[in-house]
């Protein structure tokens, strides 16, 4: 480890560079359309005062493995018809109620993608002080729990390799994200318990501040699970995101978001991740 630097260091991560050992079966590529969106949106969020990863570079793919990928998209027939204000089925409602109903139907109007299209690929290099996700800690903690054979009331077995890996990850996250509050005061005495508590508190404040920033600027992350939530409380993974076009509390840009990732449900999703 050594002394942490006075100025921040940044980790670099390639998005769209192809399959990795952790791929779940997809091709590991990113299309140019979504790569441009991430580049522009991450810079916009940074200048709007929301903590975020940033895009260092964007390169269009051109190599022996091909420079295009097939991706699902929407045909002209995929959008459902939304009634108008004078639709007889809405006659019993006031104009204000009609507008509210139509706004809700508009949010739910688009079906899932129903065609495949060929799109050019690109690779984005994004940077961040750390890419440690809540999901990483969750995975390592589950492994440590399983290795301990945990039953009700039983203590963790801190002698297992899984427990050692969890401790190393906690120290790494504390060092990279919150060195002055979660690392420096506890590392010399190897006080992993208080280091973990400090990491949790700092992470809680970071996630809460980030989500409050989303609400302030009208942003929906779209898929705010533990895999897409950085421990440091920093926006990442600009995939199915969007900005609220017309206010609705459950607004979501992606049809797969469900209500649990809707606009005003994001604070609860952040708390769930914490």
């Amino acid at each position: 480890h050594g002394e942490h630097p006075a100025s921040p260091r940044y980790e670099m991560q390639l998005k769209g560079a192809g399959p990795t050992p952790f791929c779940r079966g997809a091709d590991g590529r990113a299309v140019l359309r979504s790569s441009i969106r991430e580049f522009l949106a991450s810079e916009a969020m940074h200048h709007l005062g929301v903590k975020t990863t940033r895009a260092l570079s964007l390169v269009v793919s051109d190599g022996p493995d091909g420079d295009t990928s097939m991706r699902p998209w929407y045909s002209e027939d995929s959008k459902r018809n939304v009634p108008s204000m004078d639709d007889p089925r809405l006659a019993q409602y006031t104009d204000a109620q009609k507008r509210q109903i139509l706004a809700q139907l508009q949010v739910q109007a688009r079906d899932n993608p129903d065609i495949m299209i060929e799109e050019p690929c690109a690779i984005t290099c994004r940077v961040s002080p750390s890419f440690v996700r809540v999901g990483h800690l969750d995975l390592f903690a589950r492994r440590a729990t399983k290795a301990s054979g945990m039953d009700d009331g039983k203590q963790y077995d801190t002698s297992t390799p899984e427990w050692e890996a969890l401790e190393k990850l906690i120290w790494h996250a504390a060092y990279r994200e919150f060195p002055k509050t979660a690392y420096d005061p506890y590392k010399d005495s190897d006080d992993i318990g208080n280091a973990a508590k400090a990491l949790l508190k700092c992470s809680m404040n970071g996630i809460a501040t980030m989500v409050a920033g989303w609400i302030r600027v009208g942003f929906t992350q779209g898929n705010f699970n533990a895999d897409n939530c950085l421990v440091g409380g920093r926006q990442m993974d600009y995939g199915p995101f969007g900005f609220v076009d017309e206010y609705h509390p459950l607004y979501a840009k992606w049809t797969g978001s469900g209500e649990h990732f809707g606009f005003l449900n994001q604070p609860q999703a952040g708390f769930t991740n914490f």
Side-chain angles (χ1 to χ4, degrees):
H1 288 294
E3 194 70 24
H4 59 79
S7 57
R9 295 187 302 177
Y10 290 91
E11 297 177 4
M12 293 185 289
Q13 188 178 82
L14 296 180
K15 182 175 182 178
T20 72
F22 307 101
C23 263
R24 293 175 294 179
D27 60 11
R29 308 295 295 277
V31 298
L32 179 61
R33 167 181 50 83
S34 61
S35 301
I36 292 174
R37 290 179 76 236
E38 170 157 353
F39 196 105
L40 295 177
S42 61
E43 285 304 290
M45 293 292 273
H46 170 73
H47 290 284
L48 286 168
V50 180
K51 201 173 177 182
T52 177
T53 62
R54 300 183 70 180
L56 182 65
S57 66
L58 192 160
V59 180
V60 176
S61 300
D62 183 11
D65 295 328
D67 53 10
T68 62
S69 284
M70 300 300 294
R71 289 292 185 266
W73 198 242
Y74 304 92
S75 71
E76 291 298 323
D77 299 326
S78 69
K79 193 172 181 64
R80 301 173 189 163
N81 292 323
V82 175
S84 61
M85 287 284 288
D86 57 1
D87 190 295
R89 291 173 295 179
L90 302 177
Q92 60 181 307
Y93 301 105
T94 66
D95 284 351
Q97 290 173 325
K98 289 179 183 178
R99 282 189 288 270
Q100 185 176 9
I101 292 170
L102 295 179
Q104 184 169 351
L105 290 174
Q106 192 67 45
V107 170
Q108 303 167 340
R110 190 177 285 280
D111 281 324
N112 291 319
D114 58 344
I115 59 173
M116 298 294 290
I117 62 172
E118 187 175 13
E119 297 195 65
C121 292
I123 299 174
T124 303
C125 179
R126 54 189 181 192
V127 295
S128 172
S130 165
F131 286 100
V132 178
R133 310 177 189 216
V134 170
H136 289 143
L137 287 167
D138 184 30
L139 174 62
F140 278 61
R142 287 171 185 266
R143 287 174 176 171
T145 300
K146 184 177 180 180
S148 294
M150 289 291 292
D151 296 319
D152 291 341
K154 183 178 178 180
Q155 295 295 316
Y156 285 101
D157 182 354
T158 59
S159 65
T160 65
E162 290 81 5
W163 180 269
E164 181 183 3
L166 175 60
E167 283 197 0
K168 287 181 177 179
L169 182 60
I170 291 171
W171 283 124
H172 173 73
Y175 176 72
R176 293 310 305 261
E177 291 289 1
F178 312 109
K180 294 182 179 180
T181 52
Y183 184 85
D184 288 349
Y186 309 111
K187 181 57 179 171
D188 286 345
S189 59
D190 199 28
D191 187 353
I192 187 67
N194 280 318
K197 290 178 183 178
L199 178 64
L200 277 170
K201 183 176 181 179
C202 292
S203 181
M204 173 188 69
N205 291 336
I207 293 171
T209 301
M210 176 186 67
V211 176
W214 293 353
I215 304 302
R216 173 174 58 84
V217 303
F219 178 85
T220 55
Q221 201 272 354
N223 192 23
F224 192 35
N225 54 30
D227 186 48
N228 293 321
C229 182
L230 293 182
V231 169
R234 188 178 299 103
Q235 161 63 17
M236 69 157 300
D237 197 36
Y238 290 84
F241 76 91
F243 290 89
V244 176
D245 300 315
E246 183 175 352
Y247 175 74
H248 188 282
L250 299 180
Y251 180 92
K253 200 72 173 179
W254 180 43
T255 56
S257 293
E259 293 187 354
H260 51 292
F261 294 139
F263 178 55
L264 285 187
N265 281 343
Q266 293 181 121
Q268 180 60 47
F271 179 72
T272 300
N273 287 335
F274 169 73

